Amino acid sequence: GHASRKLVDVMAAHPQIIPYIDMPLQHGHPDTLKRMRRPHNVDRLLHWIEYYRQTLPDAVLRTTFIVGYPGETEAEFQGLLDFLAAVEFDRAGAFTFSPEPGTPAFDLPDPVDEETKHERWERLMAFQQPISLRRNQLAVGKRLEVLVDGADNGLSIARSYRDAPEIDGYVVVEKELPVGQMVPVFVTGAMEYDLVAMPADEPILVMG
C-alpha cells in the first residue's frame, strides 16, 4: 500500500522520473500466489493499479509471470488470463516454471507437465498480444523523445521512456538519425511490440 502510493505521487510530481513501473507479480490468481508465498490480495492490487493509472496516465506498466507453477490448475491459469484482461499491462513477459534444486518450490506436489506448461505459455503470450497492441495504439499521434540506437537503410531504431533496453520493443523512425542523440518524434503507427514514428520537426503530409 502506502509506500507504493507515495512513490506514484512522487513520480507524478517530478517529471524527471521516468513513469515506468516493473511490478514483480509472477501470477494473477490468489491460490497460485499463496503457493508461491507471494502477496495474494488481487483486489488490492487492482485498486492500486487503478490509482497508478489515474495518477500517471502516460505511465508504462510491465510485469513478468510464471506459468506452470506446481499445482497450477486450468482454472488458476484462466484466472491469470482474467487478471491480464482486467489490468491491460503495457508489457507482459512470461516464463515456464523450472524447479531449482534447493528452493522451496523444488519439492512441491502436483508438478505441471512440460507440454501443458508450454501450451499455457503460448496461450498467455497470444492473449497479451492484442492488449499490447491496444496500449501501443494509445501512443499514436503523440510526440515522444527517443534515444537513437542505430540507423541504416533510411530508418532509425530508437527507444522512448516506454522501452527498457533489450527487454521491450523499439520506435522505428522513418529517417536515418544521428546515433546516440535524443530526438523528438511524432508517433504515426503501432504494432504489438514496436511503434513507427516520423521526426517531429518535419512537416507531415496528410493525403486526402
Side-chain angles (χ1 to χ4, degrees):
H2 283 304
S4 309
R5 201 165 268 233
K6 204 167 171 182
L7 174 66
V8 169
D9 292 340
V10 169
M11 288 173 80
H14 295 83
Q16 64 268 44
I17 301 174
I18 289 176
Y20 182 112
I21 287 192
D22 190 337
M23 308 175 79
L25 297 179
Q26 298 191 359
H27 211 275
H29 191 285
D31 294 347
T32 324
L33 286 163
K34 257 182 224 172
R35 285 197 308 282
M36 290 176 161
R37 302 179 184 183
R38 305 282 306 166
H40 51 265
N41 187 333
V42 173
D43 285 342
R44 185 190 290 170
L45 200 55
L46 290 170
H47 283 304
W48 191 85
I49 290 167
E50 193 181 343
Y51 178 76
Y52 174 66
R53 282 247 165 91
Q54 283 170 352
T55 312
L56 288 167
D58 288 332
V60 170
L61 211 54
R62 151 165 213 103
T63 193
T64 306
F65 295 111
I66 296 171
V67 297
Y69 194 81
E72 182 189 60
T73 62
E74 179 59 28
E76 287 178 16
F77 178 71
Q78 280 300 329
L80 171 57
L81 297 185
D82 292 343
F83 180 70
L84 270 173
V87 174
E88 297 222 323
F89 290 96
D90 299 271
R91 316 264 192 265
F95 295 99
T96 55
F97 173 78
S98 60
E100 297 292 330
T103 63
F106 189 69
D107 298 317
L108 282 179
D110 305 316
V112 177
D113 68 83
E114 289 302 318
E115 192 181 340
T116 304
K117 275 190 226 175
H118 191 68
E119 183 252 353
R120 285 180 185 168
W121 180 85
E122 286 192 331
R123 273 160 68 198
L124 187 148
M125 298 309 284
F127 188 87
Q128 174 62 28
Q129 268 195 339
I131 297 173
S132 292
L133 177 60
R134 266 203 306 283
R135 297 297 302 170
N136 267 352
Q137 283 167 339
L138 295 175
V140 174
K142 289 189 176 166
R143 185 186 163 102
L144 286 176
E145 293 283 327
V146 297
L147 175 64
V148 181
D149 280 342
D152 195 19
N153 287 335
L155 296 174
S156 297
I157 297 295
R159 285 180 286 118
S160 75
Y161 76 92
R162 304 167 79 254
D163 309 302
E166 298 182 28
I167 295 176
D168 297 325
Y170 292 97
V171 180
V172 181
V173 188
E174 300 189 45
K175 186 181 181 182
E176 284 188 42
L177 297 165
V179 174
Q181 296 276 313
M182 290 294 292
V183 179
V185 298
F186 188 75
V187 181
T188 55
M191 296 173 278
E192 276 94 347
Y193 302 114
D194 306 309
L195 296 176
V196 181
M198 301 280 290
D201 52 7
E202 297 193 0
I204 292 175
L205 293 174
V206 181
M207 306 303 284

Short mmCIF file of all heavy atoms in Angstrom, two decimals, residues 141-168:
data_model
loop_
_atom_site.label_atom_id
_atom_site.label_comp_id
_atom_site.label_asym_id
_atom_site.label_seq_id
_atom_site.Cartn_x
_atom_site.Cartn_y
_atom_site.Cartn_z
N GLY A 141 -0.06 9.50 -32.59
CA GLY A 141 -0.45 10.90 -32.56
C GLY A 141 0.28 11.70 -31.49
O GLY A 141 0.17 12.91 -31.44
N LYS A 142 1.03 11.00 -30.63
CA LYS A 142 1.75 11.70 -29.56
C LYS A 142 3.18 12.01 -29.98
O LYS A 142 3.74 11.35 -30.85
CB LYS A 142 1.77 10.84 -28.29
CG LYS A 142 0.41 10.75 -27.61
CD LYS A 142 0.51 10.08 -26.26
CE LYS A 142 -0.87 10.11 -25.60
NZ LYS A 142 -0.94 9.21 -24.45
N ARG A 143 3.73 12.99 -29.32
CA ARG A 143 5.12 13.36 -29.52
C ARG A 143 5.94 12.68 -28.42
O ARG A 143 5.56 12.68 -27.26
CB ARG A 143 5.22 14.88 -29.40
CG ARG A 143 6.57 15.48 -29.70
CD ARG A 143 6.49 16.97 -29.37
NE ARG A 143 7.82 17.53 -29.25
CZ ARG A 143 8.42 18.25 -30.19
NH1 ARG A 143 7.79 18.50 -31.31
NH2 ARG A 143 9.63 18.73 -30.01
N LEU A 144 7.05 12.05 -28.80
CA LEU A 144 7.92 11.38 -27.84
C LEU A 144 9.36 11.80 -28.06
O LEU A 144 9.75 12.09 -29.19
CB LEU A 144 7.86 9.86 -28.04
CG LEU A 144 6.65 9.05 -27.59
CD1 LEU A 144 6.84 7.59 -28.01
CD2 LEU A 144 6.43 9.15 -26.10
N GLU A 145 10.14 11.81 -26.99
CA GLU A 145 11.59 11.97 -27.12
C GLU A 145 12.17 10.57 -27.20
O GLU A 145 11.86 9.72 -26.35
CB GLU A 145 12.16 12.68 -25.89
CG GLU A 145 11.74 14.13 -25.74
CD GLU A 145 12.50 15.06 -26.69
OE1 GLU A 145 13.68 14.80 -26.97
OE2 GLU A 145 11.89 16.04 -27.13
N VAL A 146 13.00 10.31 -28.21
CA VAL A 146 13.59 8.98 -28.32
C VAL A 146 15.11 9.06 -28.38
O VAL A 146 15.68 10.05 -28.83
CB VAL A 146 13.06 8.22 -29.57
CG1 VAL A 146 11.56 7.98 -29.46
CG2 VAL A 146 13.41 8.93 -30.87
N LEU A 147 15.74 7.99 -27.92
CA LEU A 147 17.19 7.86 -27.99
C LEU A 147 17.49 6.94 -29.17
O LEU A 147 16.99 5.82 -29.23
CB LEU A 147 17.72 7.24 -26.68
CG LEU A 147 19.22 6.92 -26.63
CD1 LEU A 147 20.06 8.19 -26.73
CD2 LEU A 147 19.55 6.16 -25.34
N VAL A 148 18.31 7.42 -30.11
CA VAL A 148 18.60 6.65 -31.32
C VAL A 148 19.69 5.62 -31.04
O VAL A 148 20.79 5.95 -30.62
CB VAL A 148 19.02 7.59 -32.48
CG1 VAL A 148 19.30 6.79 -33.75
CG2 VAL A 148 17.96 8.65 -32.73
N ASP A 149 19.36 4.33 -31.26
CA ASP A 149 20.31 3.24 -31.02
C ASP A 149 21.08 2.85 -32.28
O ASP A 149 22.21 2.38 -32.21
CB ASP A 149 19.57 1.99 -30.52
CG ASP A 149 19.22 2.06 -29.04
OD1 ASP A 149 19.84 2.89 -28.34
OD2 ASP A 149 18.35 1.30 -28.58
N GLY A 150 20.44 3.01 -33.44
CA GLY A 150 21.09 2.60 -34.68
C GLY A 150 20.36 3.18 -35.88
O GLY A 150 19.18 3.54 -35.78
N ALA A 151 21.05 3.29 -37.02
CA ALA A 151 20.43 3.84 -38.22
C ALA A 151 21.03 3.17 -39.46
O ALA A 151 22.22 2.93 -39.53
CB ALA A 151 20.66 5.34 -38.29
N ASP A 152 20.12 2.83 -40.42
CA ASP A 152 20.57 2.15 -41.63
C ASP A 152 19.41 2.14 -42.63
O ASP A 152 18.24 2.12 -42.22
CB ASP A 152 20.97 0.71 -41.28
CG ASP A 152 21.76 0.06 -42.41
OD1 ASP A 152 22.30 0.79 -43.26
OD2 ASP A 152 21.85 -1.19 -42.43
N ASN A 153 19.73 2.14 -43.92
CA ASN A 153 18.69 1.99 -44.96
C ASN A 153 17.50 2.94 -44.82
O ASN A 153 16.36 2.55 -45.00
CB ASN A 153 18.14 0.56 -44.97
CG ASN A 153 19.17 -0.41 -45.55
OD1 ASN A 153 20.02 -0.01 -46.33
ND2 ASN A 153 19.10 -1.66 -45.14
N GLY A 154 17.79 4.19 -44.41
CA GLY A 154 16.71 5.17 -44.33
C GLY A 154 15.85 5.08 -43.09
O GLY A 154 14.85 5.80 -42.97
N LEU A 155 16.22 4.19 -42.16
CA LEU A 155 15.44 4.03 -40.92
C LEU A 155 16.35 4.17 -39.70
O LEU A 155 17.55 3.91 -39.78
CB LEU A 155 14.78 2.64 -40.86
CG LEU A 155 13.73 2.28 -41.90
CD1 LEU A 155 13.33 0.82 -41.73
CD2 LEU A 155 12.50 3.19 -41.78
N SER A 156 15.74 4.55 -38.58
CA SER A 156 16.47 4.54 -37.31
C SER A 156 15.72 3.65 -36.32
O SER A 156 14.49 3.60 -36.33
CB SER A 156 16.58 5.94 -36.72
OG SER A 156 17.32 6.76 -37.58
N ILE A 157 16.47 2.97 -35.49
CA ILE A 157 15.91 2.18 -34.39
C ILE A 157 16.17 2.99 -33.12
O ILE A 157 17.32 3.33 -32.82
CB ILE A 157 16.60 0.79 -34.29
CG1 ILE A 157 16.34 -0.02 -35.57
CG2 ILE A 157 16.11 0.04 -33.06
CD1 ILE A 157 14.90 -0.40 -35.80
N ALA A 158 15.10 3.30 -32.41
CA ALA A 158 15.23 4.16 -31.23
C ALA A 158 14.38 3.62 -30.09
O ALA A 158 13.60 2.70 -30.27
CB ALA A 158 14.81 5.59 -31.59
N ARG A 159 14.58 4.21 -28.90
CA ARG A 159 13.80 3.82 -27.72
C ARG A 159 13.27 5.06 -27.03
O ARG A 159 13.97 6.07 -26.94
CB ARG A 159 14.69 3.08 -26.72
CG ARG A 159 15.03 1.66 -27.11
CD ARG A 159 15.90 1.00 -26.08
NE ARG A 159 17.28 1.49 -26.09
CZ ARG A 159 17.87 2.11 -25.09
NH1 ARG A 159 17.21 2.34 -23.97
NH2 ARG A 159 19.12 2.51 -25.19
N SER A 160 12.04 4.98 -26.53
CA SER A 160 11.49 6.06 -25.71
C SER A 160 11.52 5.61 -24.25
O SER A 160 11.96 4.51 -23.94
CB SER A 160 10.06 6.37 -26.14
OG SER A 160 9.18 5.36 -25.66
N TYR A 161 10.98 6.44 -23.35
CA TYR A 161 10.92 6.07 -21.94
C TYR A 161 10.09 4.80 -21.74
O TYR A 161 10.17 4.14 -20.71
CB TYR A 161 10.31 7.22 -21.11
CG TYR A 161 8.81 7.35 -21.24
CD1 TYR A 161 7.94 6.69 -20.35
CD2 TYR A 161 8.23 8.11 -22.26
CE1 TYR A 161 6.57 6.78 -20.47
CE2 TYR A 161 6.86 8.21 -22.39
CZ TYR A 161 6.03 7.55 -21.49
OH TYR A 161 4.66 7.64 -21.61
N ARG A 162 9.28 4.44 -22.74
CA ARG A 162 8.40 3.27 -22.64
C ARG A 162 9.13 1.96 -22.89
O ARG A 162 8.55 0.89 -22.75
CB ARG A 162 7.26 3.41 -23.67
CG ARG A 162 6.47 4.69 -23.53
CD ARG A 162 5.56 4.97 -24.72
NE ARG A 162 4.34 4.19 -24.65
CZ ARG A 162 4.06 3.13 -25.40
NH1 ARG A 162 4.93 2.71 -26.30
NH2 ARG A 162 2.93 2.48 -25.27
N ASP A 163 10.42 2.03 -23.28
CA ASP A 163 11.13 0.84 -23.74
C ASP A 163 12.40 0.57 -22.95
O ASP A 163 13.40 1.25 -23.13
CB ASP A 163 11.49 1.01 -25.22
CG ASP A 163 10.30 1.43 -26.06
OD1 ASP A 163 9.30 0.70 -26.06
OD2 ASP A 163 10.35 2.50 -26.69
N ALA A 164 12.35 -0.45 -22.09
CA ALA A 164 13.57 -0.85 -21.38
C ALA A 164 14.51 -1.55 -22.35
O ALA A 164 14.07 -2.36 -23.15
CB ALA A 164 13.22 -1.79 -20.22
N PRO A 165 15.81 -1.21 -22.30
CA PRO A 165 16.75 -1.79 -23.26
C PRO A 165 16.78 -3.31 -23.19
O PRO A 165 16.79 -3.89 -22.11
CB PRO A 165 18.10 -1.20 -22.86
CG PRO A 165 17.89 -0.37 -21.65
CD PRO A 165 16.44 -0.27 -21.38
N GLU A 166 16.75 -3.93 -24.37
CA GLU A 166 16.87 -5.38 -24.54
C GLU A 166 15.74 -6.18 -23.90
O GLU A 166 15.81 -7.39 -23.81
CB GLU A 166 18.24 -5.87 -24.02
CG GLU A 166 19.37 -5.24 -24.81
CD GLU A 166 20.75 -5.71 -24.38
OE1 GLU A 166 20.87 -6.83 -23.87
OE2 GLU A 166 21.69 -4.93 -24.55
N ILE A 167 14.67 -5.48 -23.47
CA ILE A 167 13.51 -6.19 -22.90
C ILE A 167 12.27 -5.85 -23.74
O ILE A 167 11.53 -6.72 -24.15
CB ILE A 167 13.27 -5.77 -21.44
CG1 ILE A 167 14.45 -6.21 -20.56
CG2 ILE A 167 11.97 -6.39 -20.91
CD1 ILE A 167 14.36 -5.76 -19.14
N ASP A 168 12.07 -4.55 -23.95
CA ASP A 168 10.87 -4.10 -24.65
C ASP A 168 11.14 -3.88 -26.13
O ASP A 168 12.21 -4.23 -26.63
CB ASP A 168 10.35 -2.81 -23.99
CG ASP A 168 9.92 -3.05 -22.54
OD1 ASP A 168 9.39 -4.15 -22.26
OD2 ASP A 168 10.12 -2.16 -21.71
#
